[in-house]
Structure formats: C-alpha cells, structure tokens
Amino acid sequence: MRVDKYLWCVRYYKTRNMVTEACKKNHITVNGQIAKPSKEVFPLDKITFRKDQITYLISVLEIPQNRVGAKLVDIYRKDETPPETFAHLEMLKLSKEHYRKTGTGRPTKKDRRDLDGLDLEN
C-alpha cells in the first residue's frame, strides 16, 4: 500500500492530500529514507513523520484494506512515539497560555518593552 494511503487509513491525517503535502515537505520517512507519496509500505516498516510539532514513530503491523475506525487502528500500527514528546507539547501549550491570554489582541508598546527587557536579562 502507498504511504499516503496508509497514513490516511490509520487516521493520522484527515485527507490523503494532507499526507501528500507532508511528503512533498519531506516530513515523512520510511525506514530512514525520505518518502514520496507513492512509496510502498509493508509490514514491519518504520514510518517517521512530523505533525503538529510532534515527531511520530510508528511500525506497520498489517496493511488495512481501506480506512478503518478509530477503535481498530491499533491492529494495523504500533505507536512507538516516546511519551516525552507529548509532555513537551503540553509544556509548550501551557507556556503560551502563561505568556499571553488568547483573545487579548496585539501587545501594546509597554508589553513589547517588557518583553524586550526580559530577553536582555536571559
């Protein structure tokens, strides 16, 4: 099965077009080699891809016939992504909320000066 179809079937991407764009940007590798969307994947292949600031590492267990339900995805792949990457993403979200609340608009001149002052101290 093609790598773009596989990643779409196991529900990592919403559309095959999104997978194709990720391949064109060299975000997807199969067994350590950059993959084109038409690259064939087989059981026991390792797929690494970057999505939403997380580098996922999955192993192909089986090839599905078509797109599968969310509950059945674990039959076809094994997620070997280290849990630290998800913790890092959570820390990024928390730090963004701490820095500036969502919906407060652009920073004022005073806010920018305060931020510049923080950068000089580090």
Side-chain angles (χ1 to χ4, degrees):
M1 178 181 277
R2 295 166 52 114
V3 70
D4 62 342
K5 190 171 181 183
Y6 179 80
L7 289 173
W8 171 74
C9 284
V10 293
R11 297 185 165 267
Y12 277 104
Y13 288 90
K14 205 169 194 177
T15 64
R16 282 182 62 185
N17 190 35
M18 293 171 79
V19 186
T20 303
E21 290 298 318
C23 284
K24 288 180 182 176
K25 294 177 183 175
N26 296 336
H27 290 202
I28 299 175
T29 61
V30 177
N31 295 328
Q33 295 181 340
I34 295 173
K36 291 183 179 180
S38 61
K39 170 81 171 146
E40 291 289 320
V41 292
F42 302 99
L44 303 178
D45 280 351
K46 303 270 190 213
I47 301 175
T48 307
F49 60 97
R50 184 150 175 86
K51 182 182 174 210
D52 299 331
Q53 296 183 347
I54 295 178
T55 302
Y56 291 93
L57 175 63
I58 62 170
S59 294
V60 179
L61 297 178
E62 272 187 61
I63 304 296
Q65 294 297 319
N66 50 14
R67 191 166 168 99
V68 295
K71 292 181 180 179
L72 302 175
V73 167
D74 290 331
I75 297 171
Y76 300 102
R77 58 101 173 132
K78 181 179 178 191
D79 193 355
E80 298 174 353
T81 307
E84 298 89 40
T85 57
F86 296 108
H88 179 71
L89 182 67
E90 193 63 34
M91 289 300 293
L92 269 173
K93 287 181 182 178
L94 290 174
S95 67
K96 286 180 181 179
E97 288 175 8
H98 178 74
Y99 161 67
R100 188 157 185 82
K101 295 290 182 199
T102 306
T104 56
R106 289 177 52 178
T108 63
K109 190 181 275 190
K110 182 182 183 316
D111 291 339
R112 285 192 310 240
R113 287 184 183 141
D114 290 343
L115 289 173
D116 289 341
L118 289 175
D119 291 339
L120 294 176
E121 293 172 7
N122 290 336

